[in-house]
Amino acid sequence: MKYISTRGVCAPQTFADAVLTGLAPDGGLFVPESIPHFSEDEISSWRGWSYEELAFRIMSPYMTGDVSEQKLREIIAAAYSGFRHRAIAPLVQTGHNEWVLELFHGPTLAFKDFALQFLGHLLDHLLEEREQKVVVIGATSGDTGSAAIEGCRRCKNIDIFILHPHQRISEVQRRQMTTVVGSNIHNIAVEGNFDDCQNMVKASFGDQSFLPEGRQLVAVNSINWARIMAQIVYYFWAALSVGGPQRQVSFSVPTGNFGDIFAGYLAKTMGLPIERLIIGTNANDILHRCISGNDHSKKPLVHSLSPSMDIMVSSNFERLLFDLYGRDGDAIQELMETFNRTGKFELDSTALEDAKALFSSCRVDDEQTLATIRDEYAVSEYLLDPHSAIGLAAGRQCRTSAIDPMICLATAHPAKFPDAVRQAGYPNNPPLPQHMSDLFKRDESFDIQPNDLAAVQKFIAANISV
Ligand SMILES: *Cc1c(COP(=O)(O)O)cnc(C)c1O
């Protein structure tokens, strides 16, 4: 399978190059040249398969020519062996024909483990074959950093440096990163805010001359194609579990950078009967404004109770736009140019109609988020984290059929967001799972660096393994 850019300029790449490059050289995002399609009969024949078997069947067409079947099976087995639930992604019924898909049983208790556990093992294999070593750097205000560190901790060919704003992330999230021990793992606490961290990462990708000879940076943020691909699997898994493909299902997805829900769109494109894909946003509602009122304009960032969805622009939306505009790279180039110049764009009427045929959207503010956590706990003692609460609230609000199952994605464990959960009226900090209950007693390791690009780059260069 070859990969092309949404801006249409750069030459098609192999799967391995697309994964190792991250952003395409023309500024676009990589997408597969064609989307594999399965018939309803074939999907039906997968009923009863394990999560790993499904993952292999669904992902292998995207990697033909680059990863052998045997190797892919090994990577999948390794990626999901650390999940603390036999089902990997269990469904919990919360109402009439309504389920929550729990995606938080991985090592860092958030759905990002599905992609990053897979990506870590995949990268290590690709690098082993090429006899190459790389440096992963990323900035985090929350879930991404810990999931990336857990994903890369056993990778022999990767040094990972994660920047977080010093004293500005929650203690659970910091400890999930800083208590992981490994000579290739480096946590940098920058004396600045999240934007400062992110700008340093961007600048480092732009000019990699601070790295030793022969090393390059690899991006593991949500635009990396392999992350999207790994997330397609649980849409099939969940639908098959509640009677699909004969029964159409809908999914409600708490959305930030549009990576998770874009995987749902791909599942539908691959042949899975999905009735509606529901975009749930918090107060950072650019996607909701775009789908409901053709207003794709940048507004200032709002700090919400669901921080992992606090974005001004959804980076993966460009991948959907590419399809909505008939895979016309020039059209996307033009839209993005308008956006960079004016901070907004409008979709043409066909693209907007097509988007509305696929997606519904709903904005759930902090007050509704808290009310959803409170009500759900009062009714069934099921405790939601604030992100998952947005998914459930959006699913209920946008629901059009009581007959088709509604599956709401639960993206984090409530123990990751104790403040929001307490604000909703829960009397204590929600308990961490047993295997993590000593998190607050573990030793931490991180380096504090000034808010200065040169200093941070010097630290990175000095700590890369040979
Ligand atoms: C990252 C994240 C999201 C948003 O996912 P996108 O792929 O960016 O839309 C939602 N919930 C949690 C808990 C997350 O960590």
Side-chain angles (χ1 to χ4, degrees):
M1 177 74 83
K2 282 280 195 314
Y3 287 78
I4 56 173
S5 163
T6 50
R7 308 266 171 109
V9 179
C10 87
Q13 310 268 320
T14 63
F15 170 78
D17 283 329
V19 169
L20 288 167
T21 311
L23 205 64
D26 60 12
L29 306 180
F30 285 115
V31 289
E33 214 166 35
S34 63
I35 306 294
H37 189 270
F38 302 111
S39 70
E40 196 172 309
D41 282 348
E42 173 156 26
I43 297 169
S44 297
S45 74
W46 302 344
R47 252 192 253 142
W49 283 18
S50 69
Y51 191 89
E52 290 88 341
E53 285 171 308
L54 266 184
F56 174 78
R57 187 69 194 90
I58 289 160
M59 292 198 281
S60 56
Y62 288 106
M63 285 177 266
T64 35
D66 275 65
V67 183
S68 75
E69 297 204 340
Q70 176 56 29
K71 204 62 210 177
L72 179 57
R73 285 187 197 279
E74 285 171 28
I75 291 170
I76 290 169
Y80 299 107
S81 65
F83 280 57
R84 298 272 177 158
H85 197 293
R86 284 200 180 89
I88 312 284
L91 284 155
V92 172
Q93 189 160 12
T94 46
H96 174 63
N97 265 339
E98 180 194 84
W99 282 268
V100 160
L101 178 63
E102 292 187 340
L103 300 174
F104 51 72
H105 294 281
T108 73
L109 311 181
F111 92 102
K112 290 188 171 67
D113 289 327
F114 276 84
L116 282 159
Q117 285 292 306
F118 176 78
L119 180 60
H121 290 280
L122 173 70
L123 283 176
D124 216 32
H125 163 66
L126 296 175
L127 294 167
E128 197 75 41
E129 279 204 321
R130 298 176 168 215
E131 298 183 13
Q132 192 186 346
K133 289 184 185 238
V134 297
V135 176
V136 165
I137 71 170
T140 193
S141 58
D143 296 332
T144 308
S146 57
I149 287 173
E150 280 289 347
C152 294
R153 66 188 292 186
R154 291 185 189 88
C155 299
K156 295 184 288 293
N157 303 302
I158 298 174
D159 288 299
I160 179 166
F161 295 84
I162 296 293
L163 282 55
H164 71 262
H166 186 40
Q167 291 176 337
R168 294 190 196 199
I169 63 172
S170 81
E171 190 171 0
V172 178
Q173 292 190 319
R174 187 189 73 234
R175 285 182 163 272
Q176 281 193 311
M177 299 194 287
T178 57
T179 59
V180 181
V181 185
S183 59
N184 64 333
I185 297 166
H186 304 277
N187 281 288
I188 304 177
V190 175
E191 291 173 318
N193 59 29
F194 174 61
D195 279 340
D196 296 327
C197 297
Q198 209 164 24
N199 288 336
M200 286 187 188
V201 170
K202 271 191 200 152
S204 301
F205 271 91
D207 178 1
Q208 304 190 10
S209 58
F210 68 100
L211 294 173
E213 194 62 30
R215 295 289 163 103
Q216 69 173 71
L217 294 181
V218 169
V220 298
N221 57 8
S222 76
I223 58 132
N224 191 299
W225 166 257
R227 281 185 60 177
I228 308 273
M229 181 183 72
Q231 293 168 177
I232 301 170
V233 179
Y234 48 72
Y235 286 90
F236 279 91
W237 163 263
L240 282 159
S241 302
V242 298
Q246 279 74 11
R247 238 178 145 194
Q248 282 217 104
V249 300
S250 291
F251 286 96
S252 178
V253 186
T255 306
N257 271 320
F258 205 73
D260 197 0
I261 195 162
F262 184 70
Y265 161 79
L266 289 170
K268 182 173 170 129
T269 311
M270 292 171 77
L272 185 68
I274 294 178
E275 203 218 323
R276 303 225 48 90
L277 288 161
I278 296 160
I279 298 167
T281 75
N282 61 26
N284 299 285
D285 60 352
I286 185 166
L287 290 169
H288 170 60
R289 284 184 283 114
C290 178
I291 299 289
S292 61
N294 204 6
D295 169 21
H296 188 277
S297 62
K298 201 164 160 174
K299 296 234 172 111
L301 190 78
V302 180
H303 290 282
S304 77
L305 292 174
S306 42
S308 300
M309 294 159 59
D310 288 348
I311 50 89
M312 290 191 286
V313 183
S314 296
S315 46
N316 280 294
F317 196 50
E318 180 168 340
R319 286 188 158 113
L320 177 72
L321 293 173
F322 186 59
D323 281 4
L324 293 176
Y325 280 81
R327 302 204 131 202
D328 175 358
D330 291 341
I332 301 308
Q333 190 109 28
E334 214 175 289
L335 272 182
M336 291 305 155
E337 209 254 313
T338 305
F339 189 69
N340 289 338
R341 199 160 28 85
T342 64
K344 59 180 185 234
F345 62 66
E346 278 181 20
L347 299 181
D348 72 29
S349 56
T350 329
L352 185 64
E353 254 171 59
D354 290 351
K356 284 187 170 178
L358 295 160
F359 297 95
S360 303
S361 71
C362 178
R363 172 193 200 267
V364 180
D365 63 18
D366 278 352
E367 207 179 309
Q368 279 174 284
T369 304
L370 293 173
T372 307
I373 298 174
R374 193 179 304 125
D375 292 351
E376 206 47 38
Y377 192 74
V379 170
S380 62
E381 293 189 22
Y382 188 73
L383 191 58
L384 294 157
D385 102 286
H387 305 81
S388 310
I390 290 177
L392 190 60
R396 286 176 179 167
Q397 218 158 306
C398 291
R399 184 158 200 174
T400 51
S401 154
I403 298 163
D404 296 331
M406 171 66 69
I407 298 169
C408 305
L409 272 50
T411 50
H413 189 287
K416 288 196 90 163
F417 299 95
D419 294 346
V421 171
R422 288 179 79 135
Q423 224 175 304
Y426 188 75
N428 312 301
N429 283 348
L432 283 159
Q434 194 70 45
H435 67 97
M436 265 203 214
S437 55
D438 65 342
L439 185 69
F440 288 89
K441 296 194 198 97
R442 294 180 196 167
D443 288 336
E444 289 189 82
S445 153
F446 60 91
D447 286 273
I448 301 168
Q449 289 291 323
N451 185 8
D452 173 48
L453 178 64
V456 169
Q457 291 187 337
K458 193 171 156 206
F459 176 85
I460 293 174
N463 282 283
I464 290 171
S465 61
V466 282

